[in-house]
Amino acid sequence: MEFRRLGNSGLSVSEIGLGCNNFGGRVDQSGTKRVVDAALDHGITLFDTADVYGSGHNEELVGRTLRGVRDQTVLATKGGFQRHDDVSMSVNGNPDYIRSACEASLRRLGLDHIDLYYLHRVDPDVPVEDTVGAMADLVNDGKVRYIGLSQTDSETLRRGHRTHPISALQSEYSLWVR
């Protein structure tokens, strides 16, 4: 497996990562373990999930599965969507919400830090500088090593990066949406 360094960061990841968004409601713990073990056997070190996948259940499965191999992996998760009682979701980039979402992810994952924490979507009602500032606080507190943005445009990326280095940009490139 080839590896790449993300941006100017010290974070090195396998060229191919495993998106873990199907684990939340469709696969059990033993199935998750089989998939993760197969990925590790093929040299994959990057595992990507989010707090909204399976309403948090996905992070629990991934966290338990990676517990014994944590030193061999890079774990990415995302926050910034807020679930409501009626099961709808909305984008929430409020700094207080981002901090609480990260804390909840850490609890579900069973970790003391997240390697790469993405803003799942930029909130059009909150300046990206404010949201990235909250994410930078998480880095300074040792809860997150690196931050990224997901599904954003180049100007917003630049604005965020001026607030704190953005190590990764996640853009959807899947057979499903193409």
Side-chain angles (χ1 to χ4, degrees):
M1 177 67 64
E2 298 290 323
F3 290 82
R4 299 210 185 259
R5 195 175 84 194
L6 294 182
N8 292 325
S9 75
L11 190 60
S12 179
V13 298
S14 54
E15 282 187 326
I16 298 171
L18 180 63
C20 301
N21 61 336
N22 291 338
F23 294 165
R26 300 183 198 150
V27 179
D28 60 16
Q29 186 67 52
S30 64
T32 300
K33 182 166 177 23
R34 285 193 305 274
V35 171
V36 168
D37 287 346
L40 288 166
D41 289 346
H42 286 89
I44 293 173
T45 62
L46 175 62
F47 296 85
D48 183 287
T49 187
D51 59 358
V52 294
Y53 299 163
S55 299
H57 182 61
N58 184 276
E59 286 181 326
E60 293 171 356
L61 287 172
V62 171
R64 281 195 304 267
T65 303
L66 293 179
R67 202 151 288 135
V69 293
R70 182 68 174 108
D71 60 335
Q72 303 168 41
T73 62
V74 173
L75 181 65
T77 194
K78 294 174 281 299
F81 274 126
Q82 184 174 12
R83 284 200 180 275
H84 304 288
D85 291 338
D86 65 359
V87 302
S88 67
M89 288 190 305
S90 62
V91 176
N92 189 341
N94 178 287
D96 290 336
Y97 180 75
I98 293 300
R99 282 188 279 274
S100 69
C102 181
E103 291 286 346
S105 288
L106 286 166
R107 279 191 303 278
R108 284 189 296 271
L109 291 162
L111 300 175
D112 63 352
H113 74 277
I114 295 165
D115 297 312
L116 177 59
Y117 191 58
Y118 285 100
L119 177 61
H120 212 145
R121 295 290 187 281
V122 175
D123 186 338
D125 298 325
V126 177
V128 70
E129 295 87 350
D130 293 352
T131 307
V132 170
M135 296 170 78
D137 290 344
L138 294 168
V139 172
N140 293 333
D141 292 345
K143 295 177 181 181
V144 170
R145 291 180 58 211
Y146 301 97
I147 63 174
L149 298 179
S150 182
Q151 307 296 331
T152 193
D153 59 67
S154 60
E155 179 54 32
T156 304
L157 177 62
R158 283 186 197 95
R159 288 175 38 220
H161 188 74
R162 283 192 292 270
T163 303
H164 185 275
I166 304 295
S167 298
L169 171 66
Q170 187 175 67
S171 297
E172 187 168 12
Y173 187 73
S174 71
L175 293 173
W176 184 261
V177 298
R178 284 188 280 155

